[in-house]
Amino acid sequence: MLTALEVFTTVVVGVMVGVEFSVAFVMNRIFNALPDDSGQLARAHGGRMLGAAMPFWYIGSLVLSAIWAVAEWHHSGAGLVVTAAALLVVSVVMSILLLVPINNRGKTWTPENRPADWKEQLNRWDRYHYVRVAIIVAAFAFLAAALT
């Protein structure tokens, strides 16, 4: 049963990393290259879609990692899992404090109602997101290392 938890947790976190990596390095670049207001509208739609799913995914990943850490507390890989869980805590706190407020504003924007500094806000979100992606990639790497 523990092996199933380890594999499931690693897959859940790994898929989350893939989605967030894709947002950072693929989707947002595509959106930014779209003509006129299409990119901003695409980012607003993406913010609504992923904004609905990601809280469950981030918290679920953290809970699964915490369960794994407790279950393996006295085993050699526990430190790696605890480190991964700590990084996931950082990603959740960072999301709540830095990214979610910008996303909540951005997902309601249209070309008619967006603020004058909308591009600066999206660029700030992107910078925070790059850091968050690095953090969750590191968490995933620690979980993968704990599997060995």
Side-chain angles (χ1 to χ4, degrees), residues 14-37:
V15 173
M16 181 177 72
V17 166
V19 168
E20 294 291 37
F21 186 91
S22 176
V23 167
F25 298 105
V26 178
M27 299 310 300
N28 283 346
R29 291 177 188 217
I30 292 170
F31 296 160
N32 291 341
L34 292 173
D36 303 322
D37 297 318

Side-chain angles (χ1 to χ4, degrees), residues 40-41 44 105-111 113-115 118 121-122:
Q40 183 262 310
L41 292 169
R105 290 189 301 272
K107 68 185 183 182
T108 65
W109 294 339
T110 66
N113 73 358
R114 65 186 179 211
W118 69 276
Q121 290 189 53
L122 292 181

Side-chain angles (χ1 to χ4, degrees), residues 81-127:
V81 180
V82 168
T83 303
L87 288 168
L88 291 172
V89 167
V90 170
S91 74
V92 168
V93 170
M94 183 180 183
S95 296
I96 292 168
L97 296 179
L98 301 173
L99 288 114
V100 169
I102 298 169
N103 189 66
N104 284 344
R105 290 189 301 272
K107 68 185 183 182
T108 65
W109 294 339
T110 66
E112 294 78 30
N113 73 358
R114 65 186 179 211
D117 69 339
W118 69 276
K119 286 184 180 180
E120 291 82 10
Q121 290 189 53
L122 292 181
N123 287 335
R124 187 175 329 114
W125 187 92
D126 287 344
R127 288 190 305 275

